[in-house]
């Protein structure tokens, strides 16, 4: 009522807000038996059916929080999805969500699907909306029972609703109710539906409303006279009139406190302040030992024997840690501290690039062993699940999970970073904007393998530029760490700060095994995540004539090229967190290299891709620094399809980045002084 009356104070609105029918809400209600039932309505966008996996993910998280060891019997959280008939048949995310229903890592004991079947999709008739007989036929893929019921028969509808619930509770499977009805006034109740369906709406105009049909039936059966049913209706109308009047006189704020219950103690304010992410050496040793061990009688693949031995001894021997160890040690130390970790995605158990091996399989029995669940008796649980080969539903599911549990590290990993494109609706409508629209916070992490490796357009870019285009008002974090210590602290930081923001991580491919992309144990024991990594090889910053800013694996290629070229006057500075932009840290670094005549941004991505245009604007607007560009030309494709051509392009980038500095030419001024004309870093 408050919003329909327009009684809103713009000063009280947080973020952009959203239209009324997209907003979520929650409350507690009493059933007829007197039991209290908690009901939550998920906020949702107009992208049809996109909220489906979000709701199911929320339900799974709430079940895990109820009792993660109970096996979910008797599945105490019920997901209910309300669909349109055209959307249920037409949107692929419906099939993706149904496909999750019986998979171990996603099962919720069944969802009740209620299809409000208006026999039209806006103005489109069924013959143009689907090829199947019924809009519900897609649910046959999971053998869900489908009940078709006449919306003009309220008692039949109530019977089917009870039957659907009893089926779900008994067989723990999805169930569908196809509610056949009609739209009295068209799509938005202000349409003229007769423009496109004149015959249908000629019949609808003659139909008696459901309430009238039912009142007449009750009167004929002697259950309730027309006078009694009319009195009931007037009583209900009077109650609503009182509520509307009360709302006008004393408006009620419908907003839900986003930081109550399990979210208590958290805030929405982002801060660049370092978080306490260092871990005790003893904890690291304990996790490392578990990573290298298998149960007695377990037979891992022979090719993994050396890897397990290295992992078991790495921390104790202070060996250089690779990327996989940095990542796994982050998970393990969080588990010891009581934080559960959920990692899902395509082939995450082994890892697309065979680096993780978080789940081991006995070569003789097929039995599986998860080392991170064998660290200590009282540790939290490591939940790792290979996902179906789909993105939209899986990302939506993990996003929904993250809404319900801010104390758990929740991660989805793409097989290749480019594949996140398949979840673009979830990224745009939920991950990037939900906090601003609906005050719904999420700590979801996306791990997106990224980097031009000569593997062709579809395996080269996680489209870093698209995420940066969505960044504003500290809505999410975008990072591209380059060392195992950095990924260790970055992942732990996600739970060690008093706020939750989505984290997008451009993870490496070749760098997983790069001999220089390693970290000493001490950086995990006493370090932290650095938004910017200064050049550790520069001892005399005053001698630096060229400052190169970069991000990701190209740093190691630039470093090698610099050594070959003998350019001791070139400093390589890595931007590890691109957003929120580390303005102050970069200001300090630029001041350190104040004698540099050139500031360049070097990237391997195309000019219209990667971070260049975002970083260039940030440096110019926030630090008054003009930055030159070295990288690939703009292109509609993120990479070439020829490994030879790729190598030539990459060599050209490195050669241009480390080319001799243009000599300073003395130019006479009116005062007789000389000034360098090659300065490109105006301050």
């Amino acid at each position: 009522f408050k919003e329909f009356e327009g009684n809103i104070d713009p000063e009280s609105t947080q973020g952009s807000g959203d239209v009324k029918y997209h907003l979520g809400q929650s409350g507690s209600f009493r059933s007829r038996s007197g039991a209290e039932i908690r009901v939550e309505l998920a906020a949702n966008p107009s992208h049809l059916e996109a909220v489906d996996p979000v709701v199911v993910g929320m339900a799974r998280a709430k079940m895990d929080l109820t009792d993660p060891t109970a096996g979910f019997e008797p599945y105490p959280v019920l997901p209910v999805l309300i669909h349109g008939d055209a959307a249920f048949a037409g949107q692929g995310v419906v099939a993706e969500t149904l496909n999750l229903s019986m998979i171990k890592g996603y099962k919720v004991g069944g969802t009740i699907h209620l299809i409000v079947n208006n026999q039209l999709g806006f103005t489109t008739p069924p013959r143009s909306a689907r090829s199947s007989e019924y809009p519900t036929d897609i649910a046959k893929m999971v053998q869900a029972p489908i009940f078709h019921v006449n919306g003009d028969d309220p008692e039949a509808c109530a019977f089917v609703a009870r039957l659907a619930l009893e089926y779900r509770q008994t067989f723990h499977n999805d169930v569908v109710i196809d509610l056949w009805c009609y739209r009295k006034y068209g799509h938005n109740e202000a349409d003229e539906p007769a423009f496109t369906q004149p015959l249908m709406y000629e019949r609808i105009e003659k139909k008696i409303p459901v309430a009238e049909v039912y009142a007449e039936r009750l009167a004929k059966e002697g259950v309730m006279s027309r006078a009694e049913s009319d009195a009931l209706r007037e009583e209900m109308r009077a109650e609503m009139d009182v509520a509307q009047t009360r709302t006008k006189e004393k408006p009620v704020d419908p907003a839900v406190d986003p930081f109550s219950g399990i979210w208590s103690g958290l805030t929405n304010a982002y801060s660049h302040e370092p978080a306490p992410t260092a871990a005790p050496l003893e904890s690291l040793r304990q996790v490392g030992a578990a990573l290298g061990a298998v149960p007695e009688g377990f037979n891992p693949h022979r090719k993994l024997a050396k890897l397990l031995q290295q992992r078991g001894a790495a921390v104790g021997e202070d060996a250089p840690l690779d990327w996989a160890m940095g990542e796994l040690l982050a998970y393990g130390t969080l588990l010891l501290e009581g934080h559960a970790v959920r990692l899902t995605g395509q082939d995450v158990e082994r890892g697309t690039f065979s680096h993780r091996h978080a789940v081991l399989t006995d070569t003789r029995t097929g039995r599986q062993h998860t080392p991170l669940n064998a660290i200590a008796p009282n540790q939290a649980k490591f939940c790792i699940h290979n996902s179906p080969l789909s993105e939209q539903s899986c990302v939506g599911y993990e996003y929904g999970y993250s809404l319900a549990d801010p104390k758990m590290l929740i991660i989805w990993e793409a097989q290749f970073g480019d594949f996140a494109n398949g979840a673009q609706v979830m990224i745009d409508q939920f991950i990037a904007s939900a906090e601003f629209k609906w005050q719904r916070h999420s700590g979801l992490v996306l791990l997106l393998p990224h980097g031009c490796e000569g593997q062709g357009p579809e395996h080269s870019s996680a489209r870093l530029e698209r995420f940066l285009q969505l960044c504003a008002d500290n809505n999410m974090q975008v990072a591209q760490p380059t060392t195992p210590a950095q990924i260790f602290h970055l992942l732990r930081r996600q739970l060690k700060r008093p706020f939750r923001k989505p984290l997008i991580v451009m993870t490496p491919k070749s760098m997983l095994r790069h001999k220089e992309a390693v970290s000493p144990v001490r950086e995990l024991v006493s370090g932290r995540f650095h938004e910017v990594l200064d050049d550790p090889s520069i001892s005399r910053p005053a001698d630096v004539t060229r400052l190169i800013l970069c991000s990701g694996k190209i740093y190691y290629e630039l470093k090698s090229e610099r050594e070959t070229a003998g350019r001791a006057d070139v400093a390589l500075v890595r931007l590890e967190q691109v957003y929120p932009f580390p303005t102050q840290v970069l200001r300090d670094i630029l001041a350190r290299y104040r004698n540099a005549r050139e500031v360049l941004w070097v990237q391997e991505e195309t000019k219209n891709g990667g971070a260049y245009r975002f970083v260039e604007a940030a440096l110019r607007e926030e630090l008054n620094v003009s930055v030159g560009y070295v990288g690939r030309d703009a292109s509609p494709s993120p990479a070439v399809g020829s490994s030879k051509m790729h190598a030539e392009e990459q060599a050209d980038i490195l050669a241009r980045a480390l080319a001799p500095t243009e000599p300073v030419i003395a130019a006479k001024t009116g005062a007789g002084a000389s000034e360098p004309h090659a300065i490109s870093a105006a301050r």
Side-chain angles (χ1 to χ4, degrees), residues 485-558:
Q486 284 285 83
I487 190 65
F488 173 85
H489 291 294
L490 180 63
L491 292 172
R492 285 176 55 79
R493 188 183 74 163
Q494 194 68 357
L495 293 184
K496 296 297 181 180
R497 299 196 287 185
F499 54 85
R500 295 290 178 267
K501 303 278 184 179
L503 171 61
I504 315 300
V505 187
M506 304 288 119
T507 57
K509 292 178 283 184
S510 65
M511 210 168 72
L512 294 172
R513 294 174 178 83
H514 197 290
K515 63 180 180 179
E516 292 192 58
V518 294
S519 298
V521 175
R522 65 176 180 274
E523 290 187 3
L524 280 56
V525 176
S526 59
R528 63 177 177 85
F529 178 74
H530 296 273
E531 296 174 337
V532 182
L533 286 177
D534 199 353
D535 195 327
S537 68
I538 301 297
S539 59
R540 294 173 58 87
D543 295 342
V544 170
T545 62
R546 177 179 297 168
L547 174 60
I548 291 180
L549 303 174
C550 63
S551 186
K553 80 170 179 68
I554 200 167
Y555 162 78
Y556 293 102
E557 295 165 295
L558 288 167

Side-chain angles (χ1 to χ4, degrees), residues 535 537-538 540 543-549 558-559 562 565-573 593 596 598 600 602 657-661:
D535 195 327
S537 68
I538 301 297
R540 294 173 58 87
D543 295 342
V544 170
T545 62
R546 177 179 297 168
L547 174 60
I548 291 180
L549 303 174
L558 288 167
K559 183 172 178 287
R562 179 178 63 178
R567 291 298 306 272
D569 63 327
V570 175
L572 304 175
V573 174
Y593 299 110
E598 297 174 292
L600 300 179
V602 179
L658 276 301
T661 303

Side-chain angles (χ1 to χ4, degrees), residues 14 116 222 244 285 399 462:
Q14 292 183 338
V116 182
Q244 185 179 22
R285 286 175 174 164
Y399 172 79

Side-chain angles (χ1 to χ4, degrees), residues 26-91:
S26 63
S28 295
F29 301 87
R30 290 283 178 187
S31 69
R32 288 184 179 180
S33 66
E36 184 176 85
I37 301 176
R38 180 75 175 173
V39 178
E40 292 200 20
L41 174 68
N44 67 288
S46 285
H47 282 68
L48 298 176
E49 307 294 335
V51 78
D52 295 357
V54 176
V55 168
V56 182
M58 291 171 65
R60 172 65 181 252
K62 291 178 182 298
M63 288 183 194
D64 284 347
L65 286 167
T66 302
D67 185 355
T69 65
F72 306 136
E73 300 292 351
Y75 294 96
V77 182
L78 173 66
V80 178
L81 294 175
I82 304 176
H83 311 268
D85 54 312
F88 194 79
Q91 293 290 303

Side-chain angles (χ1 to χ4, degrees), residues 76-275:
V77 182
L78 173 66
V80 178
L81 294 175
I82 304 176
H83 311 268
D85 54 312
F88 194 79
Q91 293 290 303
V93 71
V94 173
E96 287 190 26
T97 306
L98 287 167
N99 187 47
L100 297 177
S101 65
M102 300 300 289
I103 297 174
K104 178 183 176 183
Y106 302 87
K107 189 173 182 179
V108 292
T111 298
I112 292 182
H113 301 267
L114 175 61
I115 298 174
V116 182
N117 190 341
N118 297 308
Q119 305 174 65
L120 280 177
F122 196 174
T123 66
T124 302
R127 65 179 178 272
S128 300
R130 63 179 185 268
S131 297
S132 59
E133 181 72 17
Y134 295 102
T136 55
D137 284 349
I138 189 67
K140 293 178 180 178
M141 64 181 283
V142 293
Q143 300 181 339
I146 301 167
F147 300 110
H148 305 275
V149 61
N150 185 356
D152 270 348
D153 187 345
E155 291 188 9
C157 293
F159 170 80
V160 164
R162 285 194 297 268
L163 181 60
L165 178 60
E166 290 177 15
Y167 176 90
R168 186 265 184 180
Q169 292 299 94
T170 302
F171 297 106
H172 312 313
N173 195 6
D174 283 27
V175 57
V176 180
I177 299 173
D178 184 13
L179 181 65
W180 280 71
C181 49
Y182 58 89
R183 261 187 169 131
K184 179 74 172 175
Y185 301 111
H187 180 72
N188 60 9
E189 299 190 355
D191 252 359
E192 177 44 84
F195 286 157
T196 51
Q197 276 78 32
L199 301 181
M200 183 183 205
Y201 273 85
E202 182 180 8
R203 297 184 66 179
I204 287 174
E205 285 181 6
K206 297 174 182 178
K207 282 189 67 66
I208 301 172
V210 178
E212 290 293 323
V213 172
Y214 191 50
E216 189 64 30
R217 174 180 163 186
L218 292 176
K220 286 181 178 179
E221 293 177 357
V223 176
M224 180 181 289
S225 69
R226 284 308 305 260
E228 288 174 314
S229 61
D230 289 345
L232 262 179
R233 186 177 302 183
E234 287 305 313
E235 181 182 334
M236 177 66 74
R237 181 178 295 276
E239 186 176 333
M240 291 195 293
D241 287 342
V242 168
Q244 185 179 22
T245 301
R246 184 173 63 244
T247 300
K248 287 181 178 180
E249 294 173 352
K250 188 177 180 181
V252 177
D253 185 0
V256 177
D257 181 6
F259 301 112
S260 59
I262 196 172
W263 286 81
S264 296
L266 295 172
T267 177
N268 66 342
Y270 182 87
S271 172
H272 286 276
E273 287 297 313

Side-chain angles (χ1 to χ4, degrees), residues 382-398:
F382 181 57
C383 307
I384 182 168
H385 304 284
N386 288 336
S387 75
L389 200 62
S390 56
E391 289 82 37
Q392 184 173 357
S393 62
C394 292
V395 171
Y397 190 101
E398 302 309 324

Side-chain angles (χ1 to χ4, degrees), residues 312-388:
V315 177
E317 295 179 357
D318 199 18
L321 304 176
D322 62 11
W323 187 275
M325 277 299 284
E327 178 193 354
L328 295 172
L329 287 171
Y331 302 148
T333 51
L334 286 172
L335 295 170
L336 287 177
E337 293 163 6
H339 295 288
V341 176
R342 178 179 167 89
L343 172 59
T344 64
Q346 297 149 351
D347 305 289
V348 293
E349 294 181 2
R350 190 203 75 171
T352 298
F353 308 102
S354 197
H355 78 289
R356 184 174 289 122
H357 294 289
V359 178
L360 306 173
T361 304
D362 190 304
T363 57
R364 297 179 184 175
T365 67
R367 181 165 62 108
Q368 291 191 318
H369 171 64
T370 304
L372 286 176
N373 277 328
I375 306 170
N378 57 347
Q379 69 169 88
K381 188 174 182 181
F382 181 57
C383 307
I384 182 168
H385 304 284
N386 288 336
S387 75

